[in-house]
């Protein structure tokens, strides 16, 4: 990692997160997310269906398609 950036806003559909991510040398990804943001949004990763279920900004459950690399 090259360093850390503070308070970066990331939007995933109807969910907005503020993260303190590390800057990476990777150039082949738009963004690499770790797993520390999963607990606060009550995420459930459904590997068998390629989706992540989560609680959105309106306290409702929703899901997005995820891609594994």
């Amino acid at each position: 990692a090259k360093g850390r950036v503070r308070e970066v806003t990331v939007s995933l559909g109807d969910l907005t997160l503020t993260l303190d991510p590390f800057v990476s040398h990777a150039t082949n990804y738009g963004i690499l997310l770790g797993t520390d943001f999963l607990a606060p949004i009550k995420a459930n990763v459904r590997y068998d269906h390629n989706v992540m279920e989560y609680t959105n900004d309106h306290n409702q459950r929703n899901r997005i398609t995820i891609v594994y690399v």
Side-chain angles (χ1 to χ4, degrees):
K2 289 181 134 183
R4 194 162 199 161
V5 181
R6 301 286 178 195
E7 298 185 15
V8 173
T9 301
V10 177
S11 294
L12 303 168
D14 59 354
L15 176 67
T16 302
L17 303 166
T18 301
L19 307 172
D20 293 335
F22 288 99
V23 177
S24 170
H25 293 282
T27 59
N28 53 337
Y29 299 102
I31 187 169
L32 295 169
L33 295 177
T35 58
D36 56 336
F37 74 97
L38 296 175
I41 63 171
K42 301 176 183 128
N44 181 16
V45 178
R46 301 278 316 268
Y47 293 100
D48 56 335
H49 291 98
N50 293 340
V51 297
M52 180 181 75
E53 299 169 339
Y54 61 94
T55 302
N56 67 19
D57 292 340
H58 306 289
N59 206 30
Q60 300 169 329
R61 295 295 287 174
N62 204 347
R63 66 173 53 190
I64 58 171
T65 302
I66 54 177
V67 177
Y68 310 102
V69 181

Short mmCIF file of all heavy atoms in Angstrom, two decimals:
data_model
loop_
_atom_site.label_atom_id
_atom_site.label_comp_id
_atom_site.label_asym_id
_atom_site.label_seq_id
_atom_site.Cartn_x
_atom_site.Cartn_y
_atom_site.Cartn_z
N ALA A 1 0.84 -1.19 0.00
CA ALA A 1 0.00 0.00 0.00
C ALA A 1 0.88 1.25 0.00
O ALA A 1 1.94 1.26 0.59
CB ALA A 1 -0.93 0.00 1.20
N LYS A 2 0.38 2.25 -0.67
CA LYS A 2 1.13 3.51 -0.75
C LYS A 2 0.80 4.46 0.39
O LYS A 2 1.50 5.41 0.63
CB LYS A 2 0.81 4.20 -2.07
CG LYS A 2 1.39 3.52 -3.27
CD LYS A 2 1.04 4.30 -4.50
CE LYS A 2 2.25 4.45 -5.36
NZ LYS A 2 2.02 5.26 -6.54
N GLY A 3 -0.31 4.23 1.06
CA GLY A 3 -0.74 5.11 2.14
C GLY A 3 -2.22 4.95 2.38
O GLY A 3 -2.84 4.01 1.89
N ARG A 4 -2.78 5.85 3.12
CA ARG A 4 -4.20 5.77 3.46
C ARG A 4 -4.87 7.10 3.16
O ARG A 4 -4.31 8.17 3.39
CB ARG A 4 -4.35 5.42 4.93
CG ARG A 4 -5.73 5.01 5.28
CD ARG A 4 -5.76 4.27 6.59
NE ARG A 4 -7.01 3.54 6.63
CZ ARG A 4 -7.23 2.54 7.40
NH1 ARG A 4 -6.30 2.11 8.22
NH2 ARG A 4 -8.39 1.93 7.40
N VAL A 5 -6.10 7.03 2.66
CA VAL A 5 -6.90 8.21 2.38
C VAL A 5 -8.03 8.24 3.40
O VAL A 5 -8.61 7.20 3.71
CB VAL A 5 -7.48 8.15 0.95
CG1 VAL A 5 -8.30 9.39 0.64
CG2 VAL A 5 -6.37 7.99 -0.06
N ARG A 6 -8.36 9.38 3.91
CA ARG A 6 -9.41 9.48 4.93
C ARG A 6 -10.74 9.94 4.33
O ARG A 6 -10.77 10.78 3.44
CB ARG A 6 -9.00 10.48 6.03
CG ARG A 6 -7.73 10.11 6.73
CD ARG A 6 -7.95 8.96 7.66
NE ARG A 6 -6.69 8.58 8.30
CZ ARG A 6 -6.52 7.45 8.92
NH1 ARG A 6 -7.49 6.57 9.00
NH2 ARG A 6 -5.37 7.16 9.46
N GLU A 7 -11.81 9.34 4.82
CA GLU A 7 -13.19 9.72 4.53
C GLU A 7 -13.51 9.77 3.04
O GLU A 7 -13.96 10.79 2.51
CB GLU A 7 -13.52 11.05 5.21
CG GLU A 7 -13.44 10.96 6.72
CD GLU A 7 -13.87 12.21 7.43
OE1 GLU A 7 -14.50 13.08 6.80
OE2 GLU A 7 -13.57 12.33 8.63
N VAL A 8 -13.33 8.66 2.35
CA VAL A 8 -13.70 8.54 0.94
C VAL A 8 -15.13 8.02 0.89
O VAL A 8 -15.47 7.03 1.54
CB VAL A 8 -12.75 7.56 0.21
CG1 VAL A 8 -13.24 7.30 -1.20
CG2 VAL A 8 -11.35 8.12 0.20
N THR A 9 -15.97 8.68 0.12
CA THR A 9 -17.36 8.27 -0.02
C THR A 9 -17.49 7.30 -1.18
O THR A 9 -17.05 7.59 -2.29
CB THR A 9 -18.28 9.49 -0.24
OG1 THR A 9 -18.13 10.37 0.87
CG2 THR A 9 -19.72 9.09 -0.37
N VAL A 10 -18.09 6.14 -0.91
CA VAL A 10 -18.32 5.12 -1.92
C VAL A 10 -19.82 4.84 -1.96
O VAL A 10 -20.44 4.60 -0.93
CB VAL A 10 -17.56 3.82 -1.60
CG1 VAL A 10 -17.87 2.74 -2.61
CG2 VAL A 10 -16.07 4.08 -1.52
N SER A 11 -20.40 4.89 -3.16
CA SER A 11 -21.82 4.59 -3.32
C SER A 11 -21.99 3.27 -4.05
O SER A 11 -21.38 3.04 -5.09
CB SER A 11 -22.52 5.70 -4.12
OG SER A 11 -22.50 6.90 -3.39
N LEU A 12 -22.82 2.40 -3.48
CA LEU A 12 -23.15 1.12 -4.08
C LEU A 12 -24.68 1.06 -4.17
O LEU A 12 -25.34 0.71 -3.20
CB LEU A 12 -22.66 -0.05 -3.21
CG LEU A 12 -21.18 -0.09 -2.89
CD1 LEU A 12 -20.89 -1.11 -1.81
CD2 LEU A 12 -20.40 -0.42 -4.14
N GLY A 13 -25.23 1.44 -5.30
CA GLY A 13 -26.68 1.45 -5.43
C GLY A 13 -27.30 2.43 -4.46
O GLY A 13 -27.03 3.61 -4.50
N ASP A 14 -28.13 1.93 -3.53
CA ASP A 14 -28.82 2.79 -2.56
C ASP A 14 -28.10 2.85 -1.22
O ASP A 14 -28.68 3.14 -0.20
CB ASP A 14 -30.25 2.31 -2.37
CG ASP A 14 -30.32 0.87 -1.88
OD1 ASP A 14 -29.26 0.22 -1.80
OD2 ASP A 14 -31.41 0.39 -1.58
N LEU A 15 -26.81 2.61 -1.25
CA LEU A 15 -26.00 2.60 -0.03
C LEU A 15 -24.81 3.51 -0.21
O LEU A 15 -24.12 3.45 -1.23
CB LEU A 15 -25.52 1.17 0.25
CG LEU A 15 -24.58 0.96 1.42
CD1 LEU A 15 -25.32 1.22 2.73
CD2 LEU A 15 -24.04 -0.45 1.40
N THR A 16 -24.57 4.37 0.76
CA THR A 16 -23.40 5.25 0.74
C THR A 16 -22.56 4.97 1.97
O THR A 16 -23.07 4.97 3.08
CB THR A 16 -23.83 6.73 0.72
OG1 THR A 16 -24.67 6.96 -0.42
CG2 THR A 16 -22.64 7.65 0.64
N LEU A 17 -21.29 4.70 1.74
CA LEU A 17 -20.35 4.39 2.82
C LEU A 17 -19.24 5.42 2.86
O LEU A 17 -18.82 5.93 1.82
CB LEU A 17 -19.71 3.02 2.58
CG LEU A 17 -20.62 1.83 2.43
CD1 LEU A 17 -19.85 0.66 1.87
CD2 LEU A 17 -21.21 1.47 3.78
N THR A 18 -18.75 5.72 4.03
CA THR A 18 -17.54 6.53 4.18
C THR A 18 -16.46 5.61 4.72
O THR A 18 -16.60 5.02 5.78
CB THR A 18 -17.78 7.70 5.14
OG1 THR A 18 -18.84 8.50 4.63
CG2 THR A 18 -16.54 8.55 5.27
N LEU A 19 -15.40 5.47 3.94
CA LEU A 19 -14.31 4.55 4.26
C LEU A 19 -12.99 5.29 4.39
O LEU A 19 -12.84 6.38 3.86
CB LEU A 19 -14.18 3.49 3.16
CG LEU A 19 -15.42 2.71 2.78
CD1 LEU A 19 -15.15 1.86 1.54
CD2 LEU A 19 -15.87 1.84 3.94
N ASP A 20 -12.05 4.67 5.08
CA ASP A 20 -10.68 5.16 5.16
C ASP A 20 -9.79 4.12 4.47
O ASP A 20 -9.10 3.34 5.13
CB ASP A 20 -10.24 5.34 6.61
CG ASP A 20 -10.99 6.45 7.33
OD1 ASP A 20 -11.49 7.37 6.66
OD2 ASP A 20 -11.06 6.40 8.57
N PRO A 21 -9.81 4.09 3.13
CA PRO A 21 -9.11 3.02 2.41
C PRO A 21 -7.61 3.26 2.28
O PRO A 21 -7.12 4.38 2.39
CB PRO A 21 -9.76 3.05 1.03
CG PRO A 21 -10.11 4.49 0.85
CD PRO A 21 -10.51 4.98 2.21
N PHE A 22 -6.91 2.16 2.02
CA PHE A 22 -5.50 2.22 1.66
C PHE A 22 -5.38 2.42 0.16
O PHE A 22 -6.20 1.92 -0.60
CB PHE A 22 -4.79 0.92 2.06
CG PHE A 22 -4.60 0.77 3.53
CD1 PHE A 22 -5.47 0.00 4.27
CD2 PHE A 22 -3.56 1.41 4.18
CE1 PHE A 22 -5.31 -0.14 5.64
CE2 PHE A 22 -3.38 1.28 5.55
CZ PHE A 22 -4.26 0.50 6.28
N VAL A 23 -4.38 3.13 -0.27
CA VAL A 23 -4.11 3.32 -1.69
C VAL A 23 -3.20 2.17 -2.13
O VAL A 23 -2.22 1.85 -1.47
CB VAL A 23 -3.42 4.68 -1.95
CG1 VAL A 23 -3.08 4.83 -3.41
CG2 VAL A 23 -4.32 5.81 -1.47
N SER A 24 -3.56 1.56 -3.26
CA SER A 24 -2.85 0.38 -3.75
C SER A 24 -2.09 0.70 -5.03
O SER A 24 -2.40 1.66 -5.73
CB SER A 24 -3.86 -0.73 -4.01
OG SER A 24 -3.25 -1.80 -4.69
N HIS A 25 -1.14 -0.15 -5.35
CA HIS A 25 -0.41 -0.05 -6.61
C HIS A 25 -1.21 -0.68 -7.76
O HIS A 25 -0.81 -0.56 -8.91
CB HIS A 25 0.94 -0.77 -6.51
CG HIS A 25 1.90 -0.11 -5.57
ND1 HIS A 25 2.61 1.02 -5.90
CD2 HIS A 25 2.26 -0.41 -4.31
CE1 HIS A 25 3.37 1.38 -4.88
NE2 HIS A 25 3.17 0.53 -3.90
N ALA A 26 -2.28 -1.37 -7.47
CA ALA A 26 -3.06 -2.07 -8.50
C ALA A 26 -3.62 -1.08 -9.52
O ALA A 26 -4.11 -0.02 -9.16
CB ALA A 26 -4.21 -2.85 -7.87
N THR A 27 -3.50 -1.43 -10.79
CA THR A 27 -4.02 -0.57 -11.86
C THR A 27 -5.12 -1.26 -12.66
O THR A 27 -5.69 -0.66 -13.56
CB THR A 27 -2.89 -0.16 -12.82
OG1 THR A 27 -2.32 -1.35 -13.38
CG2 THR A 27 -1.84 0.66 -12.11
N ASN A 28 -5.43 -2.50 -12.33
CA ASN A 28 -6.42 -3.23 -13.12
C ASN A 28 -7.79 -3.33 -12.44
O ASN A 28 -8.62 -4.11 -12.86
CB ASN A 28 -5.89 -4.64 -13.44
CG ASN A 28 -5.44 -5.39 -12.21
OD1 ASN A 28 -5.12 -4.80 -11.20
ND2 ASN A 28 -5.40 -6.70 -12.31
N TYR A 29 -8.03 -2.53 -11.41
CA TYR A 29 -9.32 -2.49 -10.73
C TYR A 29 -9.75 -1.05 -10.54
O TYR A 29 -8.93 -0.18 -10.28
CB TYR A 29 -9.24 -3.14 -9.34
CG TYR A 29 -8.84 -4.59 -9.37
CD1 TYR A 29 -7.55 -4.99 -9.06
CD2 TYR A 29 -9.77 -5.56 -9.71
CE1 TYR A 29 -7.20 -6.32 -9.08
CE2 TYR A 29 -9.42 -6.90 -9.75
CZ TYR A 29 -8.14 -7.27 -9.43
OH TYR A 29 -7.79 -8.58 -9.45
N GLY A 30 -11.08 -0.81 -10.63
CA GLY A 30 -11.60 0.51 -10.33
C GLY A 30 -11.54 0.78 -8.83
O GLY A 30 -11.18 1.85 -8.39
N ILE A 31 -11.90 -0.25 -8.06
CA ILE A 31 -11.84 -0.15 -6.59
C ILE A 31 -11.71 -1.56 -6.02
O ILE A 31 -12.30 -2.51 -6.54
CB ILE A 31 -13.07 0.59 -6.01
CG1 ILE A 31 -12.89 0.83 -4.53
CG2 ILE A 31 -14.34 -0.18 -6.32
CD1 ILE A 31 -13.93 1.78 -3.95
N LEU A 32 -10.93 -1.69 -5.00
CA LEU A 32 -10.79 -2.95 -4.26
C LEU A 32 -11.34 -2.71 -2.86
O LEU A 32 -10.84 -1.85 -2.14
CB LEU A 32 -9.31 -3.36 -4.14
CG LEU A 32 -8.59 -3.71 -5.42
CD1 LEU A 32 -7.08 -3.81 -5.15
CD2 LEU A 32 -9.11 -5.00 -5.97
N LEU A 33 -12.38 -3.43 -2.49
CA LEU A 33 -12.95 -3.25 -1.17
C LEU A 33 -12.52 -4.38 -0.27
O LEU A 33 -12.52 -5.54 -0.65
CB LEU A 33 -14.48 -3.23 -1.25
CG LEU A 33 -15.12 -2.07 -2.00
CD1 LEU A 33 -16.62 -2.24 -2.05
CD2 LEU A 33 -14.75 -0.76 -1.33
N GLY A 34 -12.15 -4.05 0.95
CA GLY A 34 -11.86 -5.06 1.95
C GLY A 34 -13.17 -5.57 2.53
O GLY A 34 -14.23 -5.47 1.90
N THR A 35 -13.12 -6.09 3.72
CA THR A 35 -14.33 -6.64 4.32
C THR A 35 -14.78 -5.89 5.56
O THR A 35 -15.82 -6.20 6.13
CB THR A 35 -14.11 -8.12 4.69
OG1 THR A 35 -13.00 -8.21 5.58
CG2 THR A 35 -13.87 -8.97 3.46
N ASP A 36 -14.03 -4.88 6.00
CA ASP A 36 -14.37 -4.19 7.24
C ASP A 36 -15.69 -3.42 7.16
O ASP A 36 -16.29 -3.12 8.18
CB ASP A 36 -13.24 -3.27 7.68
CG ASP A 36 -12.83 -2.25 6.64
OD1 ASP A 36 -13.07 -2.49 5.44
OD2 ASP A 36 -12.25 -1.23 7.02
N PHE A 37 -16.19 -3.13 5.99
CA PHE A 37 -17.45 -2.40 5.85
C PHE A 37 -18.68 -3.32 5.92
O PHE A 37 -19.80 -2.85 6.01
CB PHE A 37 -17.48 -1.61 4.54
CG PHE A 37 -17.69 -2.46 3.32
CD1 PHE A 37 -18.96 -2.60 2.78
CD2 PHE A 37 -16.64 -3.12 2.72
CE1 PHE A 37 -19.15 -3.39 1.65
CE2 PHE A 37 -16.83 -3.91 1.60
CZ PHE A 37 -18.09 -4.05 1.06
N LEU A 38 -18.48 -4.64 5.91
CA LEU A 38 -19.60 -5.58 5.84
C LEU A 38 -20.42 -5.64 7.13
O LEU A 38 -21.65 -5.70 7.08
CB LEU A 38 -19.10 -6.97 5.49
CG LEU A 38 -18.46 -7.12 4.11
CD1 LEU A 38 -17.91 -8.53 3.93
CD2 LEU A 38 -19.45 -6.79 3.01
N ALA A 39 -19.80 -5.63 8.28
CA ALA A 39 -20.53 -5.75 9.55
C ALA A 39 -21.49 -4.58 9.79
O ALA A 39 -22.66 -4.81 10.13
CB ALA A 39 -19.56 -5.90 10.71
N PRO A 40 -21.07 -3.32 9.63
CA PRO A 40 -21.99 -2.22 9.90
C PRO A 40 -23.24 -2.21 9.00
O PRO A 40 -24.28 -1.69 9.40
CB PRO A 40 -21.14 -0.96 9.64
CG PRO A 40 -19.74 -1.41 9.80
CD PRO A 40 -19.72 -2.83 9.33
N ILE A 41 -23.15 -2.77 7.80
CA ILE A 41 -24.32 -2.79 6.91
C ILE A 41 -25.05 -4.13 6.96
O ILE A 41 -25.94 -4.40 6.16
CB ILE A 41 -23.93 -2.44 5.45
CG1 ILE A 41 -22.98 -3.48 4.88
CG2 ILE A 41 -23.37 -1.04 5.37
CD1 ILE A 41 -22.73 -3.32 3.38
N LYS A 42 -24.65 -4.97 7.92
CA LYS A 42 -25.28 -6.28 8.12
C LYS A 42 -25.30 -7.09 6.83
O LYS A 42 -26.31 -7.64 6.42
CB LYS A 42 -26.68 -6.12 8.69
CG LYS A 42 -26.69 -5.41 10.02
CD LYS A 42 -28.10 -5.18 10.51
CE LYS A 42 -28.01 -4.39 11.80
NZ LYS A 42 -28.82 -3.23 11.80
N ALA A 43 -24.16 -7.14 6.17
CA ALA A 43 -24.05 -7.81 4.87
C ALA A 43 -24.08 -9.33 5.00
O ALA A 43 -23.57 -9.89 5.96
CB ALA A 43 -22.77 -7.38 4.17
N ASN A 44 -24.67 -9.93 4.00
CA ASN A 44 -24.69 -11.38 3.86
C ASN A 44 -24.26 -11.68 2.43
O ASN A 44 -24.99 -11.39 1.49
CB ASN A 44 -26.09 -11.93 4.12
CG ASN A 44 -26.15 -13.43 4.00
OD1 ASN A 44 -25.14 -14.11 4.01
ND2 ASN A 44 -27.35 -13.95 3.86
N VAL A 45 -23.06 -12.21 2.27
CA VAL A 45 -22.56 -12.54 0.93
C VAL A 45 -23.07 -13.93 0.57
O VAL A 45 -22.78 -14.90 1.26
CB VAL A 45 -21.02 -12.48 0.88
CG1 VAL A 45 -20.52 -12.87 -0.50
CG2 VAL A 45 -20.52 -11.10 1.28
N ARG A 46 -23.84 -13.99 -0.51
CA ARG A 46 -24.41 -15.26 -0.98
C ARG A 46 -23.57 -15.73 -2.16
O ARG A 46 -23.86 -15.42 -3.32
CB ARG A 46 -25.86 -15.06 -1.41
CG ARG A 46 -26.80 -14.53 -0.34
CD ARG A 46 -27.31 -15.62 0.58
NE ARG A 46 -27.72 -16.82 -0.11
CZ ARG A 46 -28.96 -17.06 -0.52
NH1 ARG A 46 -29.92 -16.19 -0.31
NH2 ARG A 46 -29.24 -18.20 -1.13
N TYR A 47 -22.52 -16.47 -1.87
CA TYR A 47 -21.60 -16.95 -2.91
C TYR A 47 -22.32 -17.85 -3.92
O TYR A 47 -21.99 -17.83 -5.10
CB TYR A 47 -20.44 -17.72 -2.27
CG TYR A 47 -19.53 -16.84 -1.46
CD1 TYR A 47 -19.64 -16.80 -0.08
CD2 TYR A 47 -18.57 -16.05 -2.08
CE1 TYR A 47 -18.80 -15.98 0.67
CE2 TYR A 47 -17.73 -15.23 -1.34
CZ TYR A 47 -17.86 -15.21 0.04
OH TYR A 47 -17.03 -14.40 0.77
N ASP A 48 -23.32 -18.59 -3.47
CA ASP A 48 -24.03 -19.50 -4.36
C ASP A 48 -24.91 -18.77 -5.37
O ASP A 48 -25.31 -19.33 -6.39
CB ASP A 48 -24.88 -20.49 -3.55
CG ASP A 48 -25.86 -19.83 -2.61
OD1 ASP A 48 -25.62 -18.67 -2.20
OD2 ASP A 48 -26.86 -20.47 -2.25
N HIS A 49 -25.21 -17.48 -5.10
CA HIS A 49 -26.04 -16.68 -6.02
C HIS A 49 -25.33 -15.44 -6.56
O HIS A 49 -25.93 -14.62 -7.24
CB HIS A 49 -27.33 -16.24 -5.31
CG HIS A 49 -28.26 -17.38 -5.03
ND1 HIS A 49 -28.31 -18.01 -3.79
CD2 HIS A 49 -29.14 -18.02 -5.81
CE1 HIS A 49 -29.20 -18.97 -3.83
NE2 HIS A 49 -29.72 -19.01 -5.05
N ASN A 50 -24.05 -15.25 -6.19
CA ASN A 50 -23.26 -14.08 -6.62
C ASN A 50 -23.93 -12.76 -6.26
O ASN A 50 -23.97 -11.82 -7.05
CB ASN A 50 -22.97 -14.12 -8.12
CG ASN A 50 -22.05 -15.25 -8.50
OD1 ASN A 50 -21.34 -15.79 -7.67
ND2 ASN A 50 -22.06 -15.62 -9.76
N VAL A 51 -24.45 -12.68 -5.05
CA VAL A 51 -25.06 -11.44 -4.57
C VAL A 51 -24.61 -11.13 -3.15
O VAL A 51 -24.17 -12.01 -2.41
CB VAL A 51 -26.62 -11.49 -4.60
CG1 VAL A 51 -27.15 -11.65 -6.00
CG2 VAL A 51 -27.15 -12.54 -3.67
N MET A 52 -24.71 -9.87 -2.81
CA MET A 52 -24.50 -9.43 -1.44
C MET A 52 -25.79 -8.75 -0.98
O MET A 52 -26.26 -7.81 -1.62
CB MET A 52 -23.35 -8.44 -1.32
CG MET A 52 -23.11 -7.97 0.11
SD MET A 52 -21.77 -6.79 0.28
CE MET A 52 -22.54 -5.30 -0.35
N GLU A 53 -26.36 -9.25 0.09
CA GLU A 53 -27.54 -8.64 0.70
C GLU A 53 -27.06 -7.73 1.81
O GLU A 53 -26.10 -8.06 2.53
CB GLU A 53 -28.46 -9.73 1.25
CG GLU A 53 -28.96 -10.67 0.16
CD GLU A 53 -29.64 -11.90 0.73
OE1 GLU A 53 -29.41 -12.23 1.91
OE2 GLU A 53 -30.39 -12.52 -0.04
N TYR A 54 -27.70 -6.58 1.98
CA TYR A 54 -27.24 -5.60 2.95
C TYR A 54 -28.39 -4.70 3.39
O TYR A 54 -29.45 -4.69 2.77
CB TYR A 54 -26.12 -4.73 2.35
CG TYR A 54 -26.58 -3.96 1.14
CD1 TYR A 54 -27.04 -2.67 1.27
CD2 TYR A 54 -26.57 -4.54 -0.13
CE1 TYR A 54 -27.49 -1.95 0.16
CE2 TYR A 54 -27.00 -3.84 -1.23
CZ TYR A 54 -27.47 -2.55 -1.08
OH TYR A 54 -27.91 -1.86 -2.17
N THR A 55 -28.17 -3.95 4.45
CA THR A 55 -29.13 -2.95 4.91
C THR A 55 -28.72 -1.61 4.33
O THR A 55 -27.60 -1.14 4.56
CB THR A 55 -29.16 -2.90 6.45
OG1 THR A 55 -29.49 -4.19 6.95
CG2 THR A 55 -30.18 -1.88 6.93
N ASN A 56 -29.64 -0.97 3.58
CA ASN A 56 -29.30 0.28 2.90
C ASN A 56 -29.46 1.50 3.80
O ASN A 56 -29.77 1.38 4.99
CB ASN A 56 -30.10 0.42 1.60
CG ASN A 56 -31.58 0.60 1.83
OD1 ASN A 56 -32.04 0.96 2.91
ND2 ASN A 56 -32.36 0.33 0.80
N ASP A 57 -29.28 2.69 3.22
CA ASP A 57 -29.36 3.95 3.97
C ASP A 57 -30.75 4.22 4.53
O ASP A 57 -30.91 5.07 5.40
CB ASP A 57 -28.94 5.12 3.09
CG ASP A 57 -27.46 5.07 2.73
OD1 ASP A 57 -26.69 4.39 3.43
OD2 ASP A 57 -27.08 5.72 1.74
N HIS A 58 -31.77 3.52 4.03
CA HIS A 58 -33.15 3.70 4.49
C HIS A 58 -33.58 2.58 5.43
O HIS A 58 -34.76 2.36 5.65
CB HIS A 58 -34.09 3.78 3.28
CG HIS A 58 -33.67 4.81 2.29
ND1 HIS A 58 -33.77 6.17 2.53
CD2 HIS A 58 -33.11 4.69 1.07
CE1 HIS A 58 -33.30 6.83 1.49
NE2 HIS A 58 -32.89 5.96 0.59
N ASN A 59 -32.59 1.83 5.94
CA ASN A 59 -32.80 0.71 6.85
C ASN A 59 -33.66 -0.39 6.24
O ASN A 59 -34.44 -1.05 6.92
CB ASN A 59 -33.40 1.18 8.18
CG ASN A 59 -33.05 0.25 9.31
OD1 ASN A 59 -32.00 -0.39 9.30
ND2 ASN A 59 -33.93 0.14 10.29
N GLN A 60 -33.53 -0.57 4.93
CA GLN A 60 -34.22 -1.64 4.21
C GLN A 60 -33.19 -2.63 3.68
O GLN A 60 -32.06 -2.26 3.39
CB GLN A 60 -35.02 -1.07 3.04
CG GLN A 60 -36.07 -0.08 3.44
CD GLN A 60 -36.64 0.66 2.25
OE1 GLN A 60 -35.96 0.89 1.25
NE2 GLN A 60 -37.90 1.05 2.35
N ARG A 61 -33.59 -3.89 3.55
CA ARG A 61 -32.71 -4.90 2.98
C ARG A 61 -32.73 -4.80 1.46
O ARG A 61 -33.77 -4.57 0.85
CB ARG A 61 -33.13 -6.31 3.40
CG ARG A 61 -33.00 -6.58 4.87
CD ARG A 61 -31.58 -6.55 5.37
NE ARG A 61 -30.81 -7.71 4.94
CZ ARG A 61 -29.52 -7.85 5.15
NH1 ARG A 61 -28.82 -6.93 5.77
NH2 ARG A 61 -28.90 -8.93 4.73
N ASN A 62 -31.56 -4.95 0.86
CA ASN A 62 -31.45 -4.91 -0.60
C ASN A 62 -30.32 -5.85 -0.99
O ASN A 62 -29.65 -6.42 -0.15
CB ASN A 62 -31.17 -3.50 -1.08
CG ASN A 62 -31.61 -3.28 -2.50
OD1 ASN A 62 -31.89 -4.22 -3.22
ND2 ASN A 62 -31.64 -2.04 -2.93
N ARG A 63 -30.09 -6.01 -2.30
CA ARG A 63 -29.02 -6.87 -2.78
C ARG A 63 -28.42 -6.30 -4.04
O ARG A 63 -29.07 -5.60 -4.81
CB ARG A 63 -29.52 -8.29 -3.02
CG ARG A 63 -30.52 -8.40 -4.13
CD ARG A 63 -30.89 -9.80 -4.50
NE ARG A 63 -31.33 -10.58 -3.35
CZ ARG A 63 -31.54 -11.87 -3.36
NH1 ARG A 63 -31.37 -12.55 -4.47
NH2 ARG A 63 -31.94 -12.50 -2.30
N ILE A 64 -27.13 -6.60 -4.23
CA ILE A 64 -26.44 -6.24 -5.47
C ILE A 64 -25.67 -7.46 -5.94
O ILE A 64 -25.29 -8.32 -5.15
CB ILE A 64 -25.47 -5.05 -5.30
CG1 ILE A 64 -24.42 -5.35 -4.23
CG2 ILE A 64 -26.20 -3.76 -5.00
CD1 ILE A 64 -23.31 -4.31 -4.16
N THR A 65 -25.45 -7.52 -7.25
CA THR A 65 -24.65 -8.58 -7.84
C THR A 65 -23.18 -8.31 -7.54
O THR A 65 -22.73 -7.16 -7.61
CB THR A 65 -24.87 -8.64 -9.36
OG1 THR A 65 -26.26 -8.85 -9.60
CG2 THR A 65 -24.07 -9.74 -10.00
N ILE A 66 -22.45 -9.34 -7.21
CA ILE A 66 -21.02 -9.18 -6.95
C ILE A 66 -20.22 -10.05 -7.90
O ILE A 66 -20.71 -11.05 -8.41
CB ILE A 66 -20.66 -9.50 -5.48
CG1 ILE A 66 -21.16 -10.90 -5.10
CG2 ILE A 66 -21.22 -8.45 -4.55
CD1 ILE A 66 -20.78 -11.30 -3.69
N VAL A 67 -18.99 -9.61 -8.17
CA VAL A 67 -18.10 -10.32 -9.08
C VAL A 67 -16.86 -10.72 -8.31
O VAL A 67 -16.28 -9.91 -7.60
CB VAL A 67 -17.71 -9.42 -10.28
CG1 VAL A 67 -16.72 -10.13 -11.18
CG2 VAL A 67 -18.94 -8.98 -11.04
N TYR A 68 -16.45 -11.96 -8.45
CA TYR A 68 -15.24 -12.47 -7.79
C TYR A 68 -14.11 -12.48 -8.81
O TYR A 68 -14.28 -12.93 -9.92
CB TYR A 68 -15.45 -13.89 -7.27
CG TYR A 68 -16.70 -14.02 -6.46
CD1 TYR A 68 -17.85 -14.59 -7.01
CD2 TYR A 68 -16.74 -13.57 -5.16
CE1 TYR A 68 -19.00 -14.71 -6.28
CE2 TYR A 68 -17.90 -13.70 -4.42
CZ TYR A 68 -19.01 -14.27 -4.97
OH TYR A 68 -20.17 -14.38 -4.24
N VAL A 69 -12.96 -12.00 -8.40
CA VAL A 69 -11.82 -11.97 -9.29
C VAL A 69 -10.72 -12.85 -8.73
O VAL A 69 -10.49 -12.93 -7.57
CB VAL A 69 -11.29 -10.52 -9.46
CG1 VAL A 69 -10.13 -10.49 -10.40
CG2 VAL A 69 -12.41 -9.64 -9.94
#
